[in-house]
C-alpha cells in the first residue's frame, strides 16, 4: 500500500510541478504572493493566496504563436491585489512572475472603451469573492483586452471546469456581467441649461451617461454656480448628489443680472495597465474627479399682471362702471420680487355691441375714461369706483354732461388695464424687462353692460283672445251659429279680422316682452330695469324688475275699405293715421313687472288683467257696426320710475323710445257685425173693409255710428282697385189678423201669437242702406184688428248679386234673427165694417206631389189654377225649400221668368239636386204690372216631396231610408241658405 502511496504522491508531485509551470505560463498565480515564492498543491480548489476563481481540468493548451501549456491544470480569476484593488492577467501566453513594472493609464485607443467598462466592472466587484464571478471577470478581460484571450478561453472550454461548472453557465455569467458593464459605465457628461421663467428661473441638468447616451445611476457629483444665481434647493451656489439613472433637473433662481458659469464634478474609476517585463496586468484606479462647465445669462425681473373683475357686470343709469383688481404674476416670469411696487393704467372703452373676446379690440370702441392702480405683491387688490375715474375730455365733448355715474348710452363698458416700464417709478423700472408691455385687452368676462334704458315690446292678438269662445247666436232659420268668427289671410276674404256679434264680450290678448338689450341672444331679467333694491351684482331678479304701465284703446266705426287699406299700410311699414270718423270706444290700463300674455276683457268673468272701460256715451253691448282696431301704448311719461329707481322719466328713460302699436296691426282688427233695427208704420191705422193699406218698413241703425257693410266686386282688371258693393238684404213681412173685433187690444210680444192668422205676405228685397221701404197696397175685406210683423231673411250664402265673395258678406252680417216685436202700435191696422162681397180672384197651383231624385237630379214644375181672375195677365213662380220649424227659415231656391197667366198653364221646369220638401208660390200681375195675387207658403196642394229612388230590397231598410230623407231634407234646408239665387 505504501508503494502505492508513494507512487501516488510522486504522481501528484510530478503533476504539481507540471501544473505550476502551466499556471505560470497561463499568467495565473498558483502559490505564494505576487512573486510566486510560495507554491501550493495544484489540486487545491482555490487559487493562489485565496483569491477567488475557478480551476480547469488537467490538459494541454496550445497557442497559434507556438506557446504551449502541456499536461497542466489551469486556473482563472484574480491574480493579486495592488493597493487593495484586484488585478487581472492580460497576457494568456506569458508567464506571470510578479507585479514588477510600471502602472499607467490605458492608452490603446482601440480597446480603451472596453478597458473603461472593465475598470468600472472590476471596481464594482472588487470586494466580491465569488469564484464564478471573478473567473467570469478574468475571462472578459482576456476576451476584450488580451490578443490571445479567445484562444485561451477556447482551450479552457475544451478542458472543462474541474468543479463541474458547465461552460454555458460560465459564458452566461460573462455575458450578464458585460451587459451590466456596458449599461453602467460612465462615458459622457452632458451638461444642459434651460430657462423656465424668462431668464429669471431655470434648471441645469448634469447628465452622466453611457457611451450609448443612457443615464447612469449611482454616480456622485457636485454642481456649482458661479455668478448671480443660486440653487433653489440649497439657496446656495453649490449642490451635491448621486445620479439616479434618470435626468436630474436642478432648479435655480437669478439673484441679479449677468453671466453664470456652472460646473460639475463627478468621480469615475479608470482602467490602468501594468507594463511588466514578464506578464502585463490590468486593474481599476481609484475613482477620479472630472469637471466640466458651461455659461448662460440671467435677468432678475418678473411679469406682473392684473385680473380685472368688474364689480357689477350690469349697471343701470345712475351707477358707475366700478372694477375690482387683483394683482398676480405671470408664472413664466417667476414670483413677485419682494419690494417691487408696480403701477398700471386702466382705460374705459365704450362698445355699442357686446365685446367678443379674441375678436373685439380697443379700436372697435370709444375711449370714455381712465384710472390708475398700484400693486406691491401677488394677491394685492384695488377697487376702482366713481371717485377714482376720470372722464376722457373727447368723450365728454361728444356726450355733454357725461360723468362716471351718468353714462350716456346703453351699451358695453370695458376696462382695459396695461403695465409698461414707462408707467413705473424710476427705482422700479429695473423689475420689468425694457420691452414688457402687458395688457388684458378686451375681455368679455370683464365687461360691464350699462343699461341707460330698456325697450319693451308689445304684440296683441285678438284671435288668441277669442279662440276658446263658445258663445252662439240663433239665426232666422233656427240654427245656432258661433257668435265669433276668426278670419285670416288664408280665408276667402283675405282679411285678418275677428268678426263679432253685437253684445259680445270685448277681448284682446297682449304679449308683453322686452328687446335683447345686452345682445346675449336671449331675453331675460338682464334686459329690464330694476328697482333701487334690485340693482347690483346678483340682486337683479324678475321680482324686482320695474313695473310698467300699459294703456290700451279701442277705436271703431270704420269701413271695410278703411280697415283693409290700413292693414296693408301697416304691414308695409307705413305710418297709419286713424280716419276722422273713427270713434274712441273704450280704454284699459294695466301694470306689470313681468313679461307674458295678458288678457284684457270687458267681462270680469274672464279674470282679465284689466277691464275695458267705455268712453262717455258708449255702450259696450251696442258698439257701432263696422271695423274697429286695438291700439296699445307704453309711454315714458306714464311710468312711475321716480319712486322705483329714483330717476324721473324723460324722453329716453326708462325706455329708449315710446312703444306705440299702430292701428290695424296684424291680428288687431275686429268687425262688429251689422244688426239692423227694424220698425214699420202702416199708412192708415184705421180703414174700412174693402179699402187698401200699405206698410212702410224702417231699416234703422242700432247705434248712430253703425256702418253698412260692403264687399268688393269681382272680375276686376288687374291693377285696378275693386269697387265696393254694399251688402244686399231681404226682408219678409206678414200681415196677421189678430181679432175679428176692430177695437181689440194687442199685447206687444217677441213672438207671433198662436191665434194670429196670416192674411197677407210681402217681401222687400235688395236693401243696401239704412232707410224706409214701402210695400205694395193690399185690400182688407174683413173687419177686425190686424198687425204687421217683419223679419230679415238674408240670402247671404248665395252669390250676393252673383259675387263669389258672399262669405265676406256673410261674415259682416249678424248671424242672429233680426225682427221687430209683434204688436207694435205703429204696425196695427183696424178695419171697420164690410163692403158687399164681390167675386175674388182665387189663385192656386197643383204640384207634382212626389218626385224621385234620379241620377242626382229631379225636374219640378207647377200648374197654375185661376178662378175669377179675368184681370190676370202675367204669372211668375217661386220655388222654396221648406226648413224645419216655422216659415222664417225657408229658403228661396229660384224665381222663374214670367209667363202668360192662364188657368192650367205650367211653370218653367226647375231642376233641383237635393232631396227634401219644396213648395211653390205664385204671383199674378194685371196688365199694368200690379200684383193681383201672391200665393200662400207651405200649402199642401203646392208642396212637392223629392225623395231618393228606392232600391229593390227584401223589405228591410225602409225606415232608415225615410230617416235619411228627413236628414237630407234638413241639410237641404241648410244648404239652400248657402245656394239661394235671385234671377
Amino acid at each position: 500500500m505504501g508503494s502505492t502511496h508513494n507512487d501516488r504522491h510522486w504522481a501528484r508531485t510530478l503533476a504539481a510541478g507540471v501544473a505550476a509551470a502551466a499556471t505560470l505560463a497561463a499568467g495565473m498565480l498558483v502559490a505564494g504572493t505576487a512573486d510566486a515564492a510560495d507554491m501550493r498543491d495544484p489540486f487545491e480548489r482555490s487559487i493562489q493566496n485565496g483569491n477567488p476563481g475557478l480551476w480547469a481540468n488537467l490538459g494541454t493548451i496550445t497557442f497559434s504563436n507556438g506557446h504551449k501549456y502541456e499536461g497542466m491544470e489551469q486556473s482563472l480569476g484574480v491574480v493579486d491585489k495592488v493597493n487593495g484593488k484586484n488585478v487581472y492577467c492580460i497576457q494568456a501566453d506569458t508567464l506571470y512572475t510578479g507585479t514588477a513594472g510600471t502602472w499607467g493609464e490605458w492608452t490603446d485607443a482601440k480597446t480603451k472603451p472596453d478597458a473603461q467598462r472593465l475598470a468600472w466592472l472590476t471596481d464594482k466587484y472588487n470586494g466580491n469573492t465569488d469564484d464564478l464571478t471573478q473567473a467570469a471577470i478574468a475571462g472578459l478581460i482576456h476576451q476584450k483586452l488580451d490578443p490571445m484571450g479567445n484562444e485561451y478561453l477556447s482551450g479552457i472550454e475544451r478542458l472543462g471546469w474541474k468543479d463541474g461548472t458547465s461552460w454555458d453557465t460560465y459564458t452566461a455569467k460573462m455575458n450578464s456581467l458585460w451587459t451590466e458593464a456596458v449599461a453602467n459605465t460612465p462615458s459622457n457628461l452632458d451638461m444642459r441649461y434651460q430657462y423656465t421663467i424668462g431668464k429669471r428661473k431655470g434648471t441645469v441638468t448634469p447628465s452622466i451617461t453611457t457611451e450609448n447616451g443612457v443615464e447612469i445611476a449611482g454616480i456622485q457629483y457636485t454642481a456649482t454656480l458661479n455668478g448671480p444665481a443660486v440653487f433653489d434647493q440649497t439657496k446656495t451656489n453649490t449642490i451635491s448628489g448621486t445620479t439616479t439613472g434618470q435626468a436630474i433637473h436642478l432648479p435655480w433662481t437669478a439673484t441679479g443680472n449677468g453671466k453664470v458659469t456652472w460646473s460639475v464634478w463627478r468621480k469615475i474609476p479608470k482602467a490602468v495597465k501594468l507594463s511588466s517585463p514578464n506578464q502585463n496586468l490590468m486593474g481599476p484606479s481609484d475613482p477620479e474627479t472630472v469637471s466640466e462647465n458651461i455659461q448662460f445669462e440671467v435677468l432678475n425681473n418678473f411679469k406682473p399682471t392684473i385680473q380685472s373683475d368688474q364689480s357689477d357686470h350690469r349697471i343701470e343709469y345712475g351707477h358707475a362702471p366700478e372694477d375690482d383688481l387683483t394683482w398676480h404674476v405671470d408664472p413664466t416670469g417667476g414670483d413677485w420680487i419682494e419690494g417691487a411696487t408696480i403701477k398700471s393704467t386702466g382705460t374705459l372703452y365704450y362698445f355699442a355691441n357686446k365685446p367678443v373676446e379674441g375678436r373685439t379690440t380697443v379700436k372697435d370702441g370709444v375711449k370714455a375714461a381712465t384710472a390708475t392702480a398700484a400693486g406691491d405683491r401677488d394677491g394685492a387688490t384695488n377697487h376702482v369706483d366713481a371717485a377714482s375715474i376720470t372722464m376722457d375730455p373727447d368723450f365728454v365733448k361728444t356726450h355733454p354732461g357725461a360723468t362716471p355715474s351718468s353714462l350716456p348710452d346703453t351699451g358695453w363698458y370695458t376696462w382695459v388695464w396695461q403695465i409698461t416700464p414707462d408707467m413705473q417709478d424710476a427705482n422700479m423700472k429695473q423689475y420689468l424687462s425694457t420691452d414688457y408691455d402687458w395688457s388684458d385687452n378686451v375681455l368679455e368676462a370683464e365687461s360691464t353692460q350699462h343699461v341707460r334704458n330698456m325697450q319693451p315690446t308689445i304684440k296683441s292678438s285678438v284671435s288668441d283672445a277669442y279662440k276658446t269662445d263658445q258663445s252662439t247666436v240663433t239665426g232666422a232659420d233656427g240654427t245656432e251659429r258661433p257668435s265669433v268668427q276668426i278670419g285670416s289671410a288664408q280665408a276667402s276674404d283675405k282679411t285678418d279680422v275677428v268678426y263679432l256679434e253685437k253684445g259680445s264680450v270685448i277681448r284682446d290678448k297682449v304679449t308683453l316682452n322686452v328687446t335683447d338689450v345686452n345682445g346675449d341672444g336671449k331675453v331675460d331679467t338682464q334686459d329690464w330695469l330694476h328697482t333701487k333694491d334690485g340693482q347690483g351684482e346678483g340682486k337683479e331678479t324678475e321680482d324686482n324688475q320695474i313695473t310698467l304701465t300699459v294703456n290700451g284703446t279701442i277705436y271703431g266705426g270704420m269701413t271695410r275699405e278703411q280697415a283693409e287699406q290700413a292693414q296693408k299700410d301697416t304691414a308695409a311699414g307705413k305710418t297709419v293715421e286713424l280716419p276722422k270718423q273713427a270713434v274712441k270706444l273704450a280704454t284699459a290700463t294695466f301694470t306689470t313687472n313681468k313679461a307674458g300674455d295678458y288678457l284684457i276683457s270687458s267681462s270680469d268673468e274672464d279674470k282679465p288683467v284689466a277691464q275695458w272701460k267705455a268712453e262717455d256715451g258708449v255702450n259696450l253691448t251696442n258698439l257701432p257696426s263696422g271695423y274697429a282696431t286695438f291700439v296699445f301704448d307704453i309711454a315714458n311719461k306714464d311710468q312711475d320710475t321716480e319712486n322705483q329707481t329714483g330717476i324721473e322719466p324723460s324722453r329716453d328713460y326708462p325706455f329708449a323710445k315710446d312703444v306705440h302699436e299702430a292701428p290695424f296691426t296684424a291680428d288687431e282688427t275686429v268687425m262688429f257685425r251689422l244688426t239692423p233695427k227694424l220698425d214699420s208704420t202702416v199708412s192708415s191705422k184705421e180703414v174700412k173693409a174693402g179699402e187698401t193699406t200699405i206698410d212702410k218698413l224702417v231699416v234703422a241703425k242700432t247705434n248712430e255710428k253703425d256702418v253698412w257693410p260692403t264687399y268688393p266686386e269681382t272680375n276686376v282688371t288687374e291693377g285696378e282697385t275693386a269697387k265696393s258693393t254694399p251688402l244686399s238684404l231681404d226682408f219678409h213681412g206678414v200681415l196677421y189678423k189678430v181679432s175679428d173685433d176692430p177695437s181689440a187690444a194687442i199685447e206687444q210680444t217677441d213672438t207671433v201669437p198662436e191665434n194670429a192668422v196670416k192674411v197677407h205676405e210681402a217681401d222687400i228685397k235688395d236693401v243696401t242702406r239704412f232707410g224706409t221701404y214701402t210695400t205694395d197696397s193690399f185690400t182688407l175685406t174683413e173687419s177686425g184688428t190686424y198687425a204687421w210683423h217683419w223679419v230679415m231673411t238674408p240670402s247671404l250664402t248665395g252669390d250676393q248679386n252673383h259675387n263669389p265673395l258672399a262669405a265676406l258678406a256673410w261674415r259682416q252680417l249678424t248671424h242672429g234673427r233680426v225682427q221687430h216685436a209683434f204688436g207694435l202700435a205703429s204696425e196695427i191696422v183696424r178695419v171697420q165694417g164690410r163692403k158687399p162681397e164681390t167675386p175674388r180672384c182665387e189663385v192656386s197651383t197643383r204640384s207634382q206631389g212626389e218626385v224621385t231624385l234620379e241620377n242626382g237630379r229631379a225636374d219640378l214644375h207647377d200648374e197654375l189654377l185661376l178662378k175669377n181672375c179675368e184681370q190676370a195677365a202675367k204669372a211668375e213662380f217661386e220655388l222654396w225649400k221648406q226648413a224645419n220649424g216655422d216659415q222664417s227659415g225657408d229658403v228661396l231656391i229660384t224665381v222663374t221668368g214670367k209667363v202668360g197667366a192662364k188657368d192650367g198653364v205650367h211653370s218653367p221646369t226647375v231642376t233641383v239636386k237635393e232631396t227634401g220638401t219644396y213648395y211653390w208660390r205664385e204671383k199674378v200681375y194685371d196688365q199694368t204690372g200690379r200684383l193681383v195675387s201672391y200665393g200662400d207658403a207651405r200649402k199642401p196642394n203646392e208642396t212637392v216631396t223629392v225623395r231618393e229612388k228606392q232600391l229593390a230590397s227584401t223589405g228591410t231598410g225602409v225606415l232608415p231610408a225615410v230617416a235619411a230623407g228627413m236628414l237630407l231634407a234638413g241639410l237641404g234646408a241648410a244648404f239652400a241658405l248657402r245656394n239661394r239665387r235671385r234671377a
Side-chain angles (χ1 to χ4, degrees):
M1 291 295 295
S3 168
T4 303
H5 172 78
N6 290 334
D7 291 342
R8 288 186 61 202
H9 179 73
W10 175 82
R12 283 192 66 192
T13 301
L14 177 62
V18 176
T23 299
L24 291 174
M28 304 298 170
L29 284 176
V30 187
T33 62
D35 59 0
D38 198 5
M39 183 73 68
R40 269 186 176 186
D41 188 328
F43 292 100
E44 294 181 8
R45 296 305 299 164
S46 60
I47 63 176
Q48 190 69 17
N49 290 334
N51 291 322
L54 292 178
W55 284 92
N57 291 315
L58 181 67
T60 298
I61 296 177
T62 301
F63 295 95
S64 60
N65 59 8
H67 293 191
K68 183 177 183 181
Y69 299 123
E70 186 170 1
M72 295 183 180
E73 288 181 323
Q74 307 293 322
S75 66
L76 197 58
V78 177
V79 297
D80 210 336
K81 281 187 177 288
V82 176
N83 297 325
K85 298 290 184 180
N86 293 338
V87 294
Y88 302 85
C89 296
I90 54 174
Q91 283 182 291
D93 61 343
T94 303
L95 291 173
Y96 171 77
T97 59
T99 58
T102 303
W103 289 96
E105 288 189 14
W106 195 279
T107 59
D108 180 47
K110 181 177 180 182
T111 58
K112 189 171 184 177
D114 286 346
Q116 183 62 34
R117 293 186 181 103
L118 291 167
W120 178 88
L121 190 64
T122 58
D123 181 73
K124 178 179 178 182
Y125 289 95
N126 188 65
N128 183 283
T129 59
D130 179 66
D131 292 334
L132 178 60
T133 298
Q134 292 300 335
I137 292 174
L140 284 170
I141 290 172
H142 279 294
Q143 184 183 66
K144 304 297 182 182
L145 305 178
D146 184 354
M148 293 291 142
N150 285 324
E151 291 184 28
Y152 181 64
L153 291 175
S154 295
I156 297 294
E157 179 183 6
R158 179 173 46 79
L159 297 176
W161 295 113
K162 194 170 184 178
D163 68 350
T165 299
S166 69
W167 191 254
D168 287 342
T169 300
Y170 176 71
T171 56
K173 186 65 174 179
M174 286 178 64
N175 291 336
S176 68
L177 288 171
W178 183 248
T179 299
E180 183 180 6
V182 170
N184 293 282
T185 300
S187 176
N188 300 312
L189 175 60
D190 185 8
M191 298 179 65
R192 298 181 184 182
Y193 71 90
Q194 181 178 9
Y195 296 116
T196 57
I197 300 176
K199 291 186 177 181
R200 185 178 169 222
K201 283 181 172 290
T203 61
V204 291
T205 305
S207 294
I208 302 174
T209 66
T210 66
E211 190 175 65
N212 296 329
V214 178
E215 295 276 353
I216 300 173
I219 306 299
Q220 294 181 346
Y221 66 88
T222 297
T224 302
L225 298 174
N226 293 316
V230 295
F231 288 108
D232 291 354
Q233 185 176 344
T234 64
K235 307 301 182 186
T236 67
N237 68 337
T238 302
I239 190 170
S240 297
T242 303
T243 60
T244 62
Q246 295 180 342
I248 300 173
H249 303 291
L250 304 175
W252 54 265
T253 299
T255 58
N257 300 332
K259 300 287 185 180
V260 172
T261 299
W262 80 285
S263 305
V264 177
W265 287 265
R266 79 276 193 205
K267 291 186 176 182
I268 300 176
K270 290 186 176 181
V272 291
K273 178 180 179 181
L274 176 65
S275 297
S276 174
N278 44 68
Q279 187 185 54
N280 295 335
L281 300 180
M282 176 269 176
S285 69
D286 285 335
E288 228 179 88
T289 299
V290 179
S291 76
E292 294 185 36
N293 56 65
I294 194 170
Q295 191 177 72
F296 55 90
E297 183 182 27
V298 297
L299 296 174
N300 187 28
N301 52 40
F302 72 115
K303 298 179 180 180
T305 64
I306 291 175
Q307 178 184 344
S308 171
D309 184 7
Q310 299 194 207
S311 307
D312 190 350
H313 291 83
R314 181 187 180 280
I315 59 173
E316 297 182 10
Y317 185 49
H319 294 262
E322 301 181 359
D323 200 4
D324 282 321
L325 306 181
T326 303
W327 290 81
H328 294 294
V329 291
D330 184 338
T332 63
D335 300 332
W336 193 288
I337 296 177
E338 187 175 355
T341 298
I342 304 300
K343 293 182 178 179
S344 176
T345 297
T347 304
L348 183 67
Y349 290 93
Y350 166 75
F351 300 92
N353 298 314
K354 184 178 181 180
V356 178
E357 190 170 334
R359 292 210 307 262
T360 306
T361 68
V362 295
K363 293 181 181 180
D364 301 316
V366 177
K367 183 179 179 181
T370 58
T372 59
D376 60 359
R377 67 190 182 281
D378 187 3
T381 60
N382 304 105
H383 180 69
V384 179
D385 57 17
S388 55
I389 298 174
T390 302
M391 296 303 297
D392 182 78
D394 291 336
F395 188 79
V396 175
K397 284 182 182 179
T398 56
H399 301 87
T403 69
S405 297
S406 181
L407 297 173
D409 294 315
T410 291
W412 295 86
Y413 287 84
T414 300
W415 283 103
V416 176
W417 292 92
Q418 188 177 21
I419 303 172
T420 66
D422 294 340
M423 299 175 184
Q424 312 310 314
D425 294 339
N427 62 333
M428 295 295 163
K429 290 184 179 181
Q430 61 176 314
Y431 297 118
L432 302 180
S433 63
T434 56
D435 60 350
Y436 190 65
D437 186 358
W438 176 88
S439 173
D440 57 0
N441 297 312
V442 179
L443 304 180
E444 294 175 66
E446 296 174 10
S447 298
T448 288
Q449 181 201 11
H450 174 255
V451 182
R452 162 83 188 193
N453 39 41
M454 61 183 287
Q455 188 57 57
T457 63
I458 196 164
K459 183 181 184 305
S460 47
S461 172
V462 183
S463 59
D464 273 357
Y466 282 100
K467 65 183 179 181
T468 59
D469 189 288
Q470 300 294 318
S471 59
T472 60
V473 61
T474 303
D477 58 355
T479 301
E480 283 193 356
R481 295 182 176 88
S483 297
V484 177
Q485 192 169 7
I486 300 175
S488 69
Q490 287 73 41
S492 60
D493 53 345
K494 305 299 181 186
T495 55
D496 184 12
V497 180
V498 173
Y499 299 88
L500 304 173
E501 293 288 341
K502 282 197 176 189
S504 295
V505 175
I506 311 303
R507 299 186 182 99
D508 197 6
K509 180 180 284 187
V510 170
T511 299
L512 178 67
N513 214 330
V514 294
T515 58
D516 179 15
V517 174
N518 62 6
D520 62 358
K522 60 183 178 180
V523 174
D524 53 20
T525 190
Q526 298 297 309
D527 300 302
W528 282 72
L529 295 181
H530 297 78
T531 61
K532 298 174 186 176
D533 297 335
Q535 295 181 14
E537 190 79 356
K539 295 181 180 179
E540 296 150 347
T541 66
E542 286 191 2
D543 291 339
N544 51 47
Q545 293 172 172
I546 66 168
T547 297
L548 310 185
T549 299
V550 183
N551 293 310
T553 307
I554 309 175
Y555 295 93
M558 289 166 278
T559 66
R560 176 188 60 81
E561 294 83 352
Q562 291 169 332
E564 289 183 357
Q565 187 59 49
Q567 284 186 343
K568 293 177 182 177
D569 290 344
T570 300
K574 297 180 181 178
T575 300
V576 175
E577 300 290 341
L578 289 167
K580 293 181 179 179
Q581 74 186 67
V583 180
K584 188 177 183 180
L585 303 177
T587 59
T589 298
F590 71 92
T591 59
T592 182
N593 73 333
K594 300 284 194 309
D597 295 333
Y598 297 93
L599 178 66
I600 302 99
S601 171
S602 60
S603 172
D604 57 2
E605 293 182 3
D606 286 341
K607 297 180 179 179
V609 68
Q611 280 190 259
W612 292 109
K613 181 181 179 182
E615 291 291 286
D616 291 343
V618 174
N619 181 355
L620 293 182
T621 63
N622 183 24
L623 295 175
S625 65
Y627 289 75
T629 185
F630 295 86
V631 175
F632 287 91
D633 293 280
I634 314 176
N636 280 309
K637 65 181 179 60
D638 298 328
Q639 309 308 311
D640 180 25
T641 54
E642 186 172 6
N643 289 325
Q644 297 185 75
T645 66
I647 302 174
E648 294 182 1
S650 62
R651 180 183 58 83
D652 61 351
Y653 183 83
F655 313 134
K657 60 182 179 180
D658 291 342
V659 178
H660 174 67
E661 187 182 41
F664 295 101
T665 300
D667 203 7
E668 277 296 83
T669 304
V670 295
M671 193 277 167
F672 297 104
R673 291 170 172 159
L674 173 64
T675 306
K677 178 183 177 182
L678 302 188
D679 200 353
S680 63
T681 304
V682 294
S683 56
S684 300
K685 294 185 180 297
E686 293 188 5
V687 297
K688 294 181 180 180
E691 293 181 348
T692 61
T693 181
I694 61 175
D695 194 18
K696 294 181 179 179
L697 172 66
V698 179
V699 180
K701 299 178 178 180
T702 55
N703 184 299
E704 63 176 352
K705 300 293 185 179
D706 278 350
V707 175
W708 193 277
T710 64
Y711 57 92
E713 290 182 351
T714 55
N715 302 322
V716 177
T717 303
E718 186 175 355
E720 292 185 359
T721 302
K723 295 180 179 179
S724 296
T725 301
L727 192 64
S728 178
L729 305 180
D730 296 345
F731 298 88
H732 181 68
V734 179
L735 180 62
Y736 291 93
K737 185 175 184 179
V738 183
S739 174
D740 292 334
D741 181 2
S743 60
I746 299 179
E747 181 180 356
Q748 186 171 310
T749 61
D750 291 333
T751 58
V752 177
E754 292 183 0
N755 64 334
V757 178
K758 186 188 302 184
V759 297
H760 182 65
E761 295 179 79
D763 286 287
I764 295 177
K765 297 181 177 295
D766 301 326
V767 173
T768 57
R769 62 183 180 275
F770 299 111
T772 301
Y773 300 86
T774 304
T775 66
D776 294 333
S777 61
F778 177 71
T779 301
L780 296 171
T781 59
E782 297 179 359
S783 60
T785 299
Y786 298 79
W788 282 94
H789 185 253
W790 288 90
V791 177
M792 184 173 71
T793 57
S795 178
L796 296 179
T797 51
D799 62 4
Q800 267 300 305
N801 297 331
H802 310 289
N803 190 300
L805 291 179
L808 175 56
W810 176 235
R811 287 169 185 245
Q812 298 180 89
L813 181 66
T814 178
H815 290 12
R817 183 181 180 90
V818 178
Q819 62 181 12
H820 63 66
F822 184 84
L824 295 176
S826 61
E827 290 284 52
I828 298 175
V829 180
R830 300 182 185 279
V831 180
Q832 304 289 341
R834 179 190 295 272
K835 283 188 176 182
E837 292 187 4
T838 58
R840 178 183 177 187
C841 175
E842 296 178 6
V843 181
S844 63
T845 63
R846 182 185 296 118
S847 72
Q848 293 163 278
E850 184 170 316
V851 177
T852 298
L853 189 71
E854 293 186 358
N855 298 323
R857 58 180 288 161
D859 294 332
L860 307 183
H861 62 267
D862 198 20
E863 180 181 0
L864 181 66
L865 302 177
L866 299 178
K867 184 178 181 181
N868 298 323
C869 296
E870 290 77 14
Q871 73 271 37
K874 295 290 184 180
E876 64 180 3
F877 300 80
E878 293 179 352
L879 179 63
W880 292 74
K881 188 170 185 182
Q882 183 171 315
N884 295 329
D886 61 24
Q887 179 188 338
S888 62
D890 294 352
V891 179
L892 177 64
I893 301 301
T894 189
V895 179
T896 68
K898 293 181 179 179
V899 298
K902 295 181 180 180
D903 184 44
V905 70
H906 281 205
S907 70
T909 298
V910 177
T911 300
V912 297
K913 297 182 180 181
E914 296 177 341
T915 59
T917 300
Y918 297 79
Y919 61 85
W920 294 93
R921 297 182 69 183
E922 67 290 343
K923 288 183 177 180
V924 178
Y925 302 87
D926 64 12
Q927 295 289 347
T928 65
R930 183 177 67 87
L931 181 66
V932 175
S933 176
Y934 183 24
D936 292 335
R938 296 190 172 189
K939 294 181 67 174
N941 63 312
E942 297 184 345
T943 299
V944 58
T945 301
V946 177
R947 301 185 185 279
E948 289 282 357
K949 182 176 181 180
Q950 295 296 317
L951 300 175
S953 68
T954 59
T956 61
V958 174
L959 183 58
V962 172
M966 294 174 66
L967 174 60
L968 290 171
L971 291 174
F975 289 131
L977 183 61
R978 299 181 57 194
N979 294 289
R980 179 177 174 190
R981 298 181 56 83
R982 184 181 296 106

